[in-house]
């Protein structure tokens, strides 16, 4: 695991609880790489094909004007919409990613898949539902077995508003006058695979270390995952399969 970790500040200001390296924070969109790695495990197992249409695995997903492939979901070329303003403050609880499909499943695509790159959390919710359909297991259970356990990640879990989760940090924001307040209430169960996990600061580090050491995916699968994808017209996008691909300080 990581060599050195330290925490600052408070996990709970109201009760004066200090943050520690065990504190669980909302991972937000860092949830997406975990979902992508789980999908690629299913590709390695021969249970998913990257260029097969969604309905091959999830027949009940409404057909659109054009087919959508697994690859297009992973690299944000599906045309499925992203969160809208009301979605960020969702307080409805969904039992699973499959259940939360109803939020967007009937909406038209924004463009023909493969012709544009448009970041979509709901594309990842659909991937979570596909994982459930193909494995017959709850999404989070499959991710735990195939991604978290091999990476040595122990406490990462979905941000369940009803569960008692030790070391869960509260979310805060600054008001315009500079005073601290709680963030708006939100139940992230409508987007678990795309933005609903809790983890420590170490957990994403453990994921990448495990990938670099070949503990989860084969080298060729990892290379594919970290290859910038192209639109149908050949334009290279900034997305691999579940990851941003960009230069950072050179």
């Amino acid at each position: 695991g990581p060599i050195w970790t330290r925490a600052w500040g408070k996990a709970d200001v109201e009760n004066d609880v200090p943050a520690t390296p065990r504190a669980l924070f909302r991972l937000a969109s860092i949830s997406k790489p975990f979902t992508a790695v789980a999908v690629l495990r299913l590709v390695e197992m021969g249970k998913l094909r990257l260029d097969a249409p969604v309905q091959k695995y999830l027949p009940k997903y409404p057909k659109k004007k054009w087919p959508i492939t697994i690859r297009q979901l992973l690299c944000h070329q599906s045309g499925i919409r992203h969160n809208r303003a009301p979605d960020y403050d969702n307080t409805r609880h969904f039992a699973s990613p499959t259940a939360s499909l109803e939020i967007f499943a009937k909406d038209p695509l924004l463009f023909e898949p493969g012709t544009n790159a448009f970041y979509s959390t709901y594309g990842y919710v659909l991937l979570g539902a596909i994982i459930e359909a193909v494995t017959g297991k709850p999404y989070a259970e499959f991710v735990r077995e195939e991604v978290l356990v091999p990476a040595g990640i122990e406490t990462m879990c979905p941000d369940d508003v009803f569960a008692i989760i030790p070391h869960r940090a509260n979310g805060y924001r600054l008001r315009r006058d500079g005073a601290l307040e709680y963030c708006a209430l939100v139940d992230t169960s409508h987007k678990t695979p795309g933005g609903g996990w809790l983890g420590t600061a170490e957990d994403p580090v453990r994921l990448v270390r495990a990938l670099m050491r070949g503990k989860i995916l084969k080298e060729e699968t990892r290379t594919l995952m970290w290859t910038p994808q192209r639109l149908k017209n050949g334009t290279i996008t900034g997305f691999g399969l579940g990851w941003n691909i960009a230069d950072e300080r050179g």
Side-chain angles (χ1 to χ4, degrees):
I3 294 163
W4 180 84
T5 315
R6 187 183 153 190
W8 288 263
K10 305 284 181 194
D12 181 338
V13 172
E14 217 164 37
N15 293 299
D16 197 29
V17 179
T20 73
R22 297 170 74 184
L24 290 167
F25 299 95
R26 282 181 171 160
L27 293 184
S29 286
I30 306 299
S31 305
K32 291 183 177 78
F34 289 91
T35 300
V37 171
V39 168
L40 288 165
R41 278 293 295 133
L42 287 172
V43 171
E44 286 187 343
M45 293 172 178
K47 293 184 177 181
L48 279 181
R49 286 206 334 272
L50 280 175
D51 297 309
V54 165
Q55 284 82 8
K56 178 175 169 66
Y57 309 107
L58 198 67
K60 69 175 190 177
Y61 190 74
K63 284 204 163 154
K64 304 297 173 190
K65 192 172 173 185
W66 309 276
I68 304 167
T69 66
I70 306 299
R71 185 193 302 268
Q72 288 162 341
L73 290 172
L74 285 166
C75 66
H76 299 288
Q77 293 183 27
S78 70
I80 291 174
R81 73 173 177 89
H82 187 47
N83 302 321
R84 294 188 186 129
D87 302 333
Y88 285 102
D89 296 327
N90 173 67
T91 53
R92 187 173 161 202
H93 194 68
F94 291 93
S96 66
T98 302
S100 66
L101 290 177
E102 67 176 77
I103 301 171
F104 63 91
K106 291 179 178 152
D107 296 348
L109 298 183
L110 302 177
F111 50 81
E112 179 186 344
T115 63
N116 200 351
F118 180 81
Y119 187 83
S120 171
T121 285
Y122 286 136
Y124 271 72
V125 174
L126 181 50
L127 286 168
I130 289 166
I131 288 172
E132 292 189 328
V134 168
T135 64
K137 292 179 179 176
Y139 156 80
E141 185 182 316
F142 182 78
V143 173
R144 188 169 290 116
E145 289 172 5
E146 292 296 329
V147 184
L148 306 189
V149 169
I153 295 170
E154 292 173 2
T155 57
M156 188 171 149
C157 61
D159 181 25
D160 184 338
V161 293
F162 296 109
I164 307 293
I165 299 175
H167 308 289
R168 172 158 45 179
N170 284 324
Y172 303 93
R173 62 188 176 193
L174 291 175
R175 293 198 317 231
R176 283 196 180 150
D177 64 2
L180 195 70
E181 66 178 12
Y182 277 115
C183 287
L185 297 172
V186 59
D187 185 325
T188 58
S189 63
H190 69 303
K191 61 176 182 183
T192 302
W197 284 85
L198 294 173
T200 66
E202 284 188 1
D203 289 341
V205 178
R206 289 179 186 274
L207 174 69
V208 175
R209 284 173 72 113
L211 289 167
M212 296 298 281
R213 291 171 176 176
K215 286 188 173 178
I216 309 175
L217 297 173
K218 296 172 187 163
E219 189 178 347
E220 57 265 34
T221 311
R222 185 189 72 201
T223 301
L224 172 68
M225 182 170 68
W226 289 343
T227 299
Q229 298 295 296
R230 293 175 183 270
L231 302 179
K232 285 182 176 176
N233 68 6
T235 305
I236 294 182
T237 71
F239 297 117
L241 304 180
W243 303 70
N244 277 349
I245 311 293
D247 287 327
E248 179 77 20
R249 299 177 201 170

